[in-house]
Amino acid sequence: MKRFVLLLLMLTLALVGCNGGGETVQTTDPVDPAESADPAEPTAAPETTVAPETTAAPETTAASEEAKPLDPNAEYKILFIGNSYTFYNDMPALFQRVLQQNGYAKVRVNSVTAGAWTLQKHADPADQYGKKVAEELKKGGYDYVVLQEQSTRPITDPALFYDGVRALAEKFRKIGAEPILYQTWGRKEGSSTLRELNLTNESMAHKLAASYTAIGEELSIPVAPVGWAFRDVHTNKEAGIDLYDPDLTHSSKEGSYLAALTIMTKMFNIDPTTFTIRGMEEDVAKVLTEAAKKAVYETPEVPEQYKTSSVGVYSEKVEYVADASKMKQLTSLPKSAIISVVSGGTYSNGKTFSGLLGSKGEVVSKESSTAALTDAQKADFADIGYGVSFIGLQKMATSTAAASLVNGEWGGSMMCNLTFDDKRYDINGKVDEKGLYTALITLNFAKAHTFDAIGFCSGSLQGFPGAAEVYVSDDGKTWTRVPTACWDAVNGKALSAAKSFPADPWSDKKPGTCALFDMGGVSGQYIRLGVVIGRYDSSDKYNTINTRELVVYGAEK
């Protein structure tokens, strides 16, 4: 009887193996067979497709506790990819130091990071930091790669987040490196980002966890739940440990240690409470190591109302593209002066300087609406007699937002936060459904000038237009394109900051960054900025800008 059963089983397996080989390849295609220890075992991706609401198996207590710690005598090479949430306090170095001081002497780390950079940019070999990632891929030899996304993208544009993870995971798995996702935290109470996105520290943490969990389940990538560990310590008022930098966004030194501890716990399957953290008070180390252990081995389940799935969610191709083929960015400040701010007189702002006054002697329309401008208000904003005018403006965040674009305060927090309408325009400002521009911003210098450079000074490179074309005019009617001053950071080459930044006349402070484009000394009375794509940190903000200052260098002709 046993022989009969065995023969029957062998016959069944043989029939299955011969039935539609091509179909079998398609079924398992999302997971490289080389990545699976046993190709016959079901993979995480199909399970997620069927029941995306379930918590990923690697995140459960049982699965994590059964795993054995990695061999402390082996060599490990690890790459961190991310932005300031990774490089603050040199977190990768803290990660390596703690491991080496606790028996893992052969751990080596490298990192590719840049402020506000996204995983999608890091995955792009044409990007300035994507090139560095490509170099590390070429070098090879990595055992793990830690992937950290821009802090709001998993919430504001999860499809782009998912695409970035997919691209990098595929690249690194091909060289034998195992990806690990670094789940970040909700911003601290009082953060302007929380207000802007209508979130709390708790809800932001939940939404981040949901997106990281979703793509982790889809691709069978372990998630290091740093955000959960942060939430645990942040709500532990008795411990009194501040994990946040004063900017309410980034991590303090203790926060960076907590991130490092959580990631190493997930990666090495260790018990961090057995580790000694040199240079840290014992009671602080106890709280941090216990939080890291709890987050990894008792990972909270994402609340039902926040659960999501990444399966089948991909970003849409951008429809509008600027011609940036001759873009030329400046690395140093021009020798000429900033002429988008005037000085030498008495102005209505009570200062010895003012934004452009145009032909009308006024910086901008005094109209405003945080809901929706009327047609009459839009017409006034579009009057190019003002120093700065707008075609396509729908609303603004504050009554002074439009004037803030050229008010001379770029070292502080006065923001030009504008929303444009859903129309497209040609360069002359006529509505055209096939038009390239979502908005037109015009500067009137009142007299003929030569223009050396145009650019933005702000806190980051993300808030000003992601793609734009620049024109000049003598009469405000005939427009000449300036090819070297046109850019497209969404579809083309990434933007870079100048090596030095100008101080503003308002408080003599410098901005967080400044990107400048060469205008080559062209002349005119007007500059028109054709906004192709607005703020580009998420596609739902393509019809907005949120920046501090538009600056122009040059001289009166």
Side-chain angles (χ1 to χ4, degrees):
M1 183 63 180
K2 289 183 179 179
R3 274 184 199 172
F4 174 74
V5 173
L6 181 59
L7 286 171
L8 182 60
L9 178 60
M10 292 174 65
L11 178 60
T12 302
L13 290 172
L15 286 171
V16 171
C18 296
N19 186 17
E23 293 181 1
T24 302
V25 172
Q26 290 176 352
T27 301
T28 58
D29 187 60
V31 178
D32 186 341
E35 300 302 322
S36 176
D38 184 355
E41 290 293 321
T43 61
E47 292 178 356
T48 302
T49 305
V50 176
E53 71 277 8
T54 57
T55 305
E59 297 296 319
T60 63
T61 303
S64 299
E65 289 180 342
E66 288 174 3
K68 294 181 179 179
L70 298 187
D71 182 3
N73 297 312
E75 295 183 3
Y76 301 97
K77 188 177 179 183
I78 301 157
L79 179 66
F80 286 80
I81 296 177
N83 55 44
S84 53
Y85 275 43
T86 294
F87 71 65
Y88 247 60
N89 302 306
D90 201 355
M91 188 272 286
L94 298 180
F95 174 93
Q96 176 176 283
R97 187 184 311 140
V98 171
L99 282 167
Q100 289 181 343
Q101 291 174 350
N102 288 274
Y104 287 84
K106 299 178 181 179
V107 170
R108 298 292 181 269
V109 303
N110 288 322
S111 63
V112 178
T113 58
W117 241 244
T118 65
L119 293 181
Q120 199 169 46
K121 286 185 177 182
H122 281 303
D124 180 4
D127 179 82
Q128 64 183 117
Y129 289 95
K131 290 178 181 177
K132 295 183 179 182
V133 171
E135 290 171 2
E136 296 304 319
L137 281 163
K138 188 176 181 180
K139 293 175 186 176
Y142 285 103
D143 299 290
Y144 295 95
V145 56
V146 180
L147 305 177
Q148 176 255 313
E149 180 59 282
Q150 189 275 337
S151 60
T152 60
R153 176 165 279 199
I155 297 172
T156 60
D157 210 329
L160 291 175
F161 165 49
Y162 299 151
D163 283 352
V165 174
R166 290 178 183 120
L168 287 170
E170 180 180 8
K171 291 173 185 284
F172 278 93
R173 278 175 163 165
K174 284 181 178 178
I175 66 165
E178 180 61 30
I180 288 183
L181 295 174
Y182 166 6
Q183 173 195 320
T184 55
W185 50 86
R187 298 195 180 184
K188 193 175 182 180
E189 292 81 0
S191 165
S192 60
T193 299
L194 294 180
R195 292 194 300 273
E196 181 182 338
L197 298 179
N198 194 29
L199 296 171
T200 63
N201 173 271
E202 181 181 29
S203 64
M204 185 173 183
H206 288 329
K207 287 193 172 187
L208 287 168
S211 289
Y212 274 95
T213 299
I215 191 64
E217 289 179 343
E218 178 191 328
L219 302 178
S220 298
I221 299 176
V223 178
V226 177
W228 287 129
F230 248 72
R231 180 73 187 154
D232 186 17
V233 176
H234 181 59
T235 55
N236 184 351
K237 302 304 180 184
E238 185 177 338
I241 299 173
D242 192 352
L243 300 177
Y244 291 87
D245 182 82
D247 66 7
L248 311 181
T249 297
H250 296 96
S251 57
S252 64
K253 191 70 171 286
E254 290 78 10
S256 295
Y257 265 111
L258 181 57
L261 287 164
T262 307
I263 295 168
M264 71 178 67
T265 300
K266 188 68 180 180
M267 185 183 296
F268 286 85
N269 300 315
I270 50 90
D271 179 355
T273 63
T274 65
F275 278 14
T276 298
I277 314 297
R278 297 180 189 175
M280 182 180 291
E281 295 179 7
E282 286 188 16
D283 57 341
V284 175
K286 184 176 186 295
V287 171
L288 299 185
T289 55
E290 287 180 351
K293 179 179 180 179
K294 180 181 178 182
V296 172
Y297 297 125
E298 301 175 40
T299 306
E301 186 175 356
V302 175
E304 195 66 34
Q305 66 268 33
Y306 295 105
K307 287 182 179 179
T308 187
S309 173
S310 61
V311 177
V313 180
Y314 295 87
S315 59
E316 297 180 4
K317 186 177 180 180
V318 176
E319 187 175 352
Y320 301 101
V321 180
D323 181 1
S325 58
K326 295 184 179 180
M327 179 189 78
K328 183 179 179 182
Q329 282 203 262
L330 301 179
T331 57
S332 57
L333 301 180
K335 294 181 180 179
S336 54
I338 292 176
I339 57 174
S340 47
V341 176
V342 297
S343 60
T346 302
Y347 304 102
S348 58
N349 61 5
K351 303 286 184 181
T352 57
F353 58 88
S354 170
L356 279 179
L357 295 173
S359 306
K360 296 169 70 87
E362 295 283 349
V363 176
V364 70
S365 170
K366 291 183 171 60
E367 300 291 339
S368 69
S369 175
T370 58
L373 293 169
T374 65
D375 289 343
Q377 289 176 315
K378 289 181 179 180
D380 197 43
F381 267 108
D383 184 347
I384 64 171
Y386 290 114
V388 57
S389 57
F390 304 86
I391 294 175
L393 184 60
Q394 179 71 20
K395 63 180 181 178
M396 58 277 296
T398 65
S399 61
T400 60
S404 294
L405 189 62
V406 290
N407 72 346
E409 201 259 17
W410 57 79
S413 58
M414 293 186 188
M415 304 298 292
C416 176
N417 190 338
L418 307 177
T419 299
F420 306 122
D421 58 30
D422 58 359
K423 299 175 183 177
R424 304 301 295 192
Y425 300 87
D426 65 17
I427 192 58
N428 295 307
K430 294 181 179 179
V431 176
D432 181 354
E433 63 179 16
K434 295 183 179 180
L436 182 60
Y437 309 110
T438 188
L440 300 169
I441 301 173
T442 306
L443 301 181
N444 181 349
F445 291 83
K447 299 178 181 179
H449 284 67
T450 56
F451 305 119
D452 296 323
I454 187 171
F456 289 85
C457 291
S458 196
S460 75
L461 295 175
Q462 304 296 321
F464 60 83
E469 297 187 343
V470 175
Y471 292 77
V472 295
S473 175
D474 293 320
D475 58 8
K477 298 177 181 179
T478 303
W479 298 94
T480 302
R481 191 169 171 275
V482 186
T484 54
C486 302
W487 70 90
D488 192 333
V490 180
N491 306 288
K493 186 178 180 181
L495 304 182
S496 57
K499 293 182 179 178
S500 59
F501 311 143
D504 69 13
W506 194 279
S507 57
D508 199 34
K509 292 182 180 180
K510 294 184 178 182
T513 191
C514 185
L516 295 173
F517 305 89
D518 186 13
M519 293 192 70
V522 297
S523 63
Q525 179 179 327
Y526 303 89
I527 291 178
R528 175 161 283 180
L529 186 71
V531 179
V532 179
I533 296 173
R535 179 175 174 174
Y536 63 107
D537 50 349
S538 57
S539 61
D540 63 343
K541 297 177 181 175
Y542 280 176
N543 67 326
T544 71
I545 60 171
N546 186 27
T547 190
R548 294 182 190 171
E549 191 89 5
L550 174 60
V551 295
V552 177
Y553 285 82
E556 185 176 338
K557 193 172 180 180

